[in-house]
């Protein structure tokens, strides 16, 4: 390989080598070469699953659906593909107002070249920040703000100094000024807590059915019959008669509106 390359002219060899350099742009910025832009693009794509899992309603929805399957005693029905697909479409439904705001306030002005990339990134993060702060508990936000040592800034700092009792109660006066490194983990643990609370309410009726079936089988002396196997059809009938999917999906969507 080295011998044919050594026979090439220097300009031809330069053309066959990928350029990883950067050149100053006309507006004072930096323009990177195509290979660098491609590398950065594919690197950014690796963060999309993390954004989907940790910055949207997907976490709460998929956990609740998984807990429902466990409460009913079903091992692989509905299958994981169905649960994930349902969670994705429900996430798109819940996040549609936020995504519309991002499209209107950030993407359209950027596509029309009315604002720059940094301004579009800033405007696009505001609706997502508002959504996460709306679903985040003040105590969780205060926890990560204290660990990150993020202090209130601007007017929020004056309010924080004027009312220290509000800080002791777990209220975050500078929530709008918090960076994403504080908001995202606080949002995640708040979502986990809310999902487990909903899962607890889902488990209660199914546990009662298991207890009733186990008591009846014990009183009849049927020790060898599994209570889980006997209770499963009753769980399915109860869930269908109560229109469980309608109630569950309505409750999940309503939990994000509060």
């Amino acid at each position: 390989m080295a011998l044919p390359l050594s026979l090439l002219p220097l300009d031809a060899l330069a053309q066959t080598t990928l350029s990883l350099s950067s050149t100053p742009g006309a507006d004072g910025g930096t323009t990177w070469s195509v290979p660098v832009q491609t590398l950065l693009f594919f690197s950014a794509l690796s963060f999309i699953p993390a954004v989907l899992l940790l910055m949207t309603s997907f976490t709460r929805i998929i956990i609740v659906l998984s807990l429902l399957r466990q409460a009913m005693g079903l091992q692989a029905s509905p299958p994981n593909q169905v649960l994930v697909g349902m969670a994705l479409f429900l996430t798109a439904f819940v996040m549609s107002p936020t995504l519309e705001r991002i499209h209107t306030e950030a993407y359209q002005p950027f596509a029309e070249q009315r604002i720059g990339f940094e301004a579009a990134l800033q405007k696009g993060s505001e609706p997502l920040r508002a959504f996460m702060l709306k679903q985040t508990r003040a105590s969780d936000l205060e926890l990560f703000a204290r660990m990150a040592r993020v202090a209130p800034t601007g007017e929020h700092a004056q309010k924080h100094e004027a009312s220290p009792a509000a800080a002791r109660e777990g209220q975050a006066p500078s929530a709008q000024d918090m960076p994403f490194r504080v908001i995202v983990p606080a949002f995640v643990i708040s979502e986990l807590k809310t999902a487990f609370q909903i899962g607890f309410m889902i488990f209660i009726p199914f546990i009662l059915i298991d207890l009733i079936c186990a008591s009846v089988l014990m009183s009849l002396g049927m020790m060898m019959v599994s209570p889980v196997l006997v209770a499963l059809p009753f769980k399915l009938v109860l869930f269908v008669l109560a229109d469980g999917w309608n109630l569950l999906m309505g409750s999940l969507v309503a939990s994000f509106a509060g």
Side-chain angles (χ1 to χ4, degrees):
M1 293 294 293
L3 182 60
L5 289 178
S6 62
L7 299 177
L8 292 175
L10 293 179
D11 54 349
L13 181 61
Q15 293 178 0
T16 58
T17 305
L18 291 177
S19 175
L20 301 179
S21 61
S22 62
T23 57
D27 55 351
T30 302
T31 302
W32 295 93
S33 60
V34 175
V36 175
Q37 295 180 4
T38 305
L39 177 63
L40 295 176
F41 174 74
F42 283 104
S43 300
L45 288 180
S46 62
F47 289 95
I48 292 181
V51 171
L52 175 63
L53 292 175
L54 303 181
M55 301 177 67
T56 64
S57 58
F58 182 83
T59 301
R60 184 190 305 185
I61 295 172
I62 192 63
I63 291 177
V64 170
L65 293 178
S66 301
L67 291 176
L68 171 66
R69 185 172 64 179
Q70 294 181 12
M72 296 182 67
L74 301 172
Q75 300 298 325
S77 182
N80 292 331
Q81 293 84 350
V82 175
L83 291 184
V84 173
M86 188 184 306
L88 285 174
F89 278 100
L90 200 59
T91 299
F93 178 80
V94 173
M95 298 296 298
S96 58
T98 303
L99 297 178
E100 289 177 0
R101 284 189 56 193
I102 294 175
H103 182 268
T104 303
E105 299 176 7
Y107 178 75
Q108 284 186 346
F110 176 73
E112 297 172 359
Q113 299 182 352
R114 289 188 279 122
I115 59 175
F117 177 75
E118 294 183 358
L121 189 63
Q122 179 66 25
K123 289 182 177 293
S125 64
E126 292 302 323
L128 195 59
R129 178 193 299 268
F131 171 81
M132 289 192 293
L133 287 176
K134 188 177 181 181
Q135 308 298 328
T136 304
R137 291 176 173 82
S139 59
D140 298 332
L141 189 63
E142 183 191 11
L143 170 66
F144 284 96
R146 185 173 62 252
M147 291 191 297
R149 297 181 180 178
V150 177
T153 58
E155 299 179 356
H156 298 293
Q158 299 177 0
K159 294 179 182 179
H160 186 75
E161 295 175 357
S163 58
R168 289 196 301 268
E169 293 175 359
Q171 300 177 359
S174 57
Q176 298 297 330
D177 296 335
M178 291 292 178
F180 272 93
R181 63 187 176 92
V182 173
I183 297 177
V184 172
F187 170 75
V188 170
I189 64 174
S190 296
E191 288 292 283
L192 292 175
K193 183 176 181 179
T194 304
F196 288 161
Q197 289 176 345
I198 299 175
F200 171 76
M201 300 302 297
I202 292 174
F203 262 90
I204 291 178
F206 297 113
I207 290 179
L208 292 177
I209 295 177
D210 286 334
L211 292 176
I212 293 174
C213 292
S215 301
V216 172
L217 291 176
M218 288 290 292
S219 62
L220 295 176
M222 303 174 66
M223 306 294 184
M224 304 302 294
V225 180
S226 174
V228 177
L229 183 62
V230 176
L232 180 58
F234 293 100
K235 292 179 181 180
L236 294 176
V237 170
L238 174 65
F239 192 75
V240 171
L241 292 180
D243 202 1
W245 289 115
N246 189 303
L247 294 176
L248 180 63
M249 296 305 169
S251 300
L252 274 176
V253 174
S255 66
F256 291 99

